[in-house]
PDB file of all heavy atoms in Angstrom:
ATOM      1  N   LEU A1003      85.645   0.739 -10.689  1.00 93.00           N
ATOM      2  CA  LEU A1003      85.121   2.045 -11.068  1.00 93.00           C
ATOM      3  C   LEU A1003      83.724   1.915 -11.687  1.00 93.00           C
ATOM      4  O   LEU A1003      82.842   2.758 -11.438  1.00 93.00           O
ATOM      5  CB  LEU A1003      86.066   2.737 -12.044  1.00 93.00           C
ATOM      6  CG  LEU A1003      87.379   3.276 -11.468  1.00 93.00           C
ATOM      7  CD1 LEU A1003      88.217   3.906 -12.564  1.00 93.00           C
ATOM      8  CD2 LEU A1003      87.117   4.280 -10.348  1.00 93.00           C
ATOM      9  N   ARG A1004      83.539   0.874 -12.487  1.00 92.00           N
ATOM     10  CA  ARG A1004      82.200   0.668 -13.076  1.00 92.00           C
ATOM     11  C   ARG A1004      81.172   0.412 -11.999  1.00 92.00           C
ATOM     12  O   ARG A1004      80.061   0.979 -12.032  1.00 92.00           O
ATOM     13  CB  ARG A1004      82.258  -0.522 -14.044  1.00 92.00           C
ATOM     14  CG  ARG A1004      80.906  -0.853 -14.685  1.00 92.00           C
ATOM     15  CD  ARG A1004      81.046  -2.037 -15.628  1.00 92.00           C
ATOM     16  NE  ARG A1004      79.783  -2.374 -16.253  1.00 92.00           N
ATOM     17  CZ  ARG A1004      78.875  -3.196 -15.690  1.00 92.00           C
ATOM     18  NH1 ARG A1004      79.118  -3.755 -14.512  1.00 92.00           N
ATOM     19  NH2 ARG A1004      77.741  -3.464 -16.314  1.00 92.00           N
ATOM     20  N   ASN A1005      81.499  -0.439 -11.020  1.00 93.00           N
ATOM     21  CA  ASN A1005      80.565  -0.678  -9.914  1.00 93.00           C
ATOM     22  C   ASN A1005      80.301   0.592  -9.139  1.00 93.00           C
ATOM     23  O   ASN A1005      79.190   0.874  -8.710  1.00 93.00           O
ATOM     24  CB  ASN A1005      81.132  -1.752  -8.995  1.00 93.00           C
ATOM     25  CG  ASN A1005      81.139  -3.137  -9.631  1.00 93.00           C
ATOM     26  OD1 ASN A1005      80.406  -3.382 -10.584  1.00 93.00           O
ATOM     27  ND2 ASN A1005      81.953  -4.034  -9.111  1.00 93.00           N
ATOM     28  N   GLY A1006      81.379   1.393  -8.943  1.00 95.00           N
ATOM     29  CA  GLY A1006      81.214   2.670  -8.255  1.00 95.00           C
ATOM     30  C   GLY A1006      80.313   3.621  -9.032  1.00 95.00           C
ATOM     31  O   GLY A1006      79.478   4.325  -8.456  1.00 95.00           O
ATOM     32  N   GLY A1007      80.462   3.625 -10.355  1.00 93.00           N
ATOM     33  CA  GLY A1007      79.608   4.465 -11.178  1.00 93.00           C
ATOM     34  C   GLY A1007      78.152   4.052 -11.093  1.00 93.00           C
ATOM     35  O   GLY A1007      77.251   4.896 -11.007  1.00 93.00           O
ATOM     36  N   GLN A1008      77.903   2.741 -11.092  1.00 91.00           N
ATOM     37  CA  GLN A1008      76.529   2.269 -10.983  1.00 91.00           C
ATOM     38  C   GLN A1008      75.949   2.598  -9.596  1.00 91.00           C
ATOM     39  O   GLN A1008      74.775   2.933  -9.475  1.00 91.00           O
ATOM     40  CB  GLN A1008      76.478   0.762 -11.224  1.00 91.00           C
ATOM     41  CG  GLN A1008      76.770   0.385 -12.675  1.00 91.00           C
ATOM     42  CD  GLN A1008      76.338  -1.026 -12.991  1.00 91.00           C
ATOM     43  OE1 GLN A1008      76.478  -1.931 -12.171  1.00 91.00           O
ATOM     44  NE2 GLN A1008      75.804  -1.218 -14.180  1.00 91.00           N
ATOM     45  N   TRP A1009      76.781   2.501  -8.558  1.00 95.00           N
ATOM     46  CA  TRP A1009      76.342   2.851  -7.213  1.00 95.00           C
ATOM     47  C   TRP A1009      75.938   4.334  -7.142  1.00 95.00           C
ATOM     48  O   TRP A1009      74.883   4.668  -6.606  1.00 95.00           O
ATOM     49  CB  TRP A1009      77.462   2.550  -6.218  1.00 95.00           C
ATOM     50  CG  TRP A1009      77.370   3.279  -4.915  1.00 95.00           C
ATOM     51  CD1 TRP A1009      76.363   3.178  -3.998  1.00 95.00           C
ATOM     52  CD2 TRP A1009      78.305   4.236  -4.399  1.00 95.00           C
ATOM     53  NE1 TRP A1009      76.620   4.012  -2.925  1.00 95.00           N
ATOM     54  CE2 TRP A1009      77.801   4.669  -3.140  1.00 95.00           C
ATOM     55  CE3 TRP A1009      79.506   4.747  -4.850  1.00 95.00           C
ATOM     56  CZ2 TRP A1009      78.467   5.611  -2.367  1.00 95.00           C
ATOM     57  CZ3 TRP A1009      80.180   5.670  -4.070  1.00 95.00           C
ATOM     58  CH2 TRP A1009      79.660   6.091  -2.854  1.00 95.00           C
ATOM     59  N   VAL A1010      76.762   5.210  -7.697  1.00 94.00           N
ATOM     60  CA  VAL A1010      76.470   6.646  -7.674  1.00 94.00           C
ATOM     61  C   VAL A1010      75.185   6.946  -8.463  1.00 94.00           C
ATOM     62  O   VAL A1010      74.304   7.691  -8.004  1.00 94.00           O
ATOM     63  CB  VAL A1010      77.637   7.441  -8.260  1.00 94.00           C
ATOM     64  CG1 VAL A1010      77.251   8.921  -8.497  1.00 94.00           C
ATOM     65  CG2 VAL A1010      78.841   7.373  -7.317  1.00 94.00           C
ATOM     66  N   MET A1011      75.038   6.326  -9.649  1.00 91.00           N
ATOM     67  CA  MET A1011      73.861   6.594 -10.450  1.00 91.00           C
ATOM     68  C   MET A1011      72.603   6.034  -9.808  1.00 91.00           C
ATOM     69  O   MET A1011      71.523   6.621  -9.911  1.00 91.00           O
ATOM     70  CB  MET A1011      74.027   6.028 -11.859  1.00 91.00           C
ATOM     71  CG  MET A1011      75.075   6.739 -12.709  1.00 91.00           C
ATOM     72  SD  MET A1011      74.945   8.558 -12.677  1.00 91.00           S
ATOM     73  CE  MET A1011      73.244   8.809 -13.194  1.00 91.00           C
ATOM     74  N   GLY A1012      72.722   4.891  -9.138  1.00 91.00           N
ATOM     75  CA  GLY A1012      71.560   4.367  -8.423  1.00 91.00           C
ATOM     76  C   GLY A1012      71.059   5.312  -7.364  1.00 91.00           C
ATOM     77  O   GLY A1012      69.849   5.555  -7.240  1.00 91.00           O
ATOM     78  N   ALA A1013      72.003   5.882  -6.582  1.00 93.00           N
ATOM     79  CA  ALA A1013      71.615   6.838  -5.557  1.00 93.00           C
ATOM     80  C   ALA A1013      71.037   8.100  -6.174  1.00 93.00           C
ATOM     81  O   ALA A1013      70.024   8.645  -5.705  1.00 93.00           O
ATOM     82  CB  ALA A1013      72.824   7.166  -4.689  1.00 93.00           C
ATOM     83  N   SER A1014      71.668   8.588  -7.224  1.00 90.00           N
ATOM     84  CA  SER A1014      71.218   9.819  -7.860  1.00 90.00           C
ATOM     85  C   SER A1014      69.813   9.688  -8.441  1.00 90.00           C
ATOM     86  O   SER A1014      68.975  10.566  -8.272  1.00 90.00           O
ATOM     87  CB  SER A1014      72.205  10.205  -8.955  1.00 90.00           C
ATOM     88  OG  SER A1014      71.812  11.376  -9.626  1.00 90.00           O
ATOM     89  N   LEU A1015      69.549   8.563  -9.096  1.00 88.00           N
ATOM     90  CA  LEU A1015      68.228   8.372  -9.723  1.00 88.00           C
ATOM     91  C   LEU A1015      67.173   8.075  -8.664  1.00 88.00           C
ATOM     92  O   LEU A1015      66.020   8.513  -8.808  1.00 88.00           O
ATOM     93  CB  LEU A1015      68.298   7.208 -10.717  1.00 88.00           C
ATOM     94  CG  LEU A1015      69.221   7.449 -11.928  1.00 88.00           C
ATOM     95  CD1 LEU A1015      69.428   6.143 -12.687  1.00 88.00           C
ATOM     96  CD2 LEU A1015      68.637   8.520 -12.850  1.00 88.00           C
TER      97      LEU A1015
END
Side-chain angles (χ1 to χ4, degrees):
L1003 287 179
R1004 178 180 180 273
N1005 290 340
Q1008 292 196 321
W1009 160 62
V1010 169
M1011 291 313 305
S1014 178
L1015 296 169

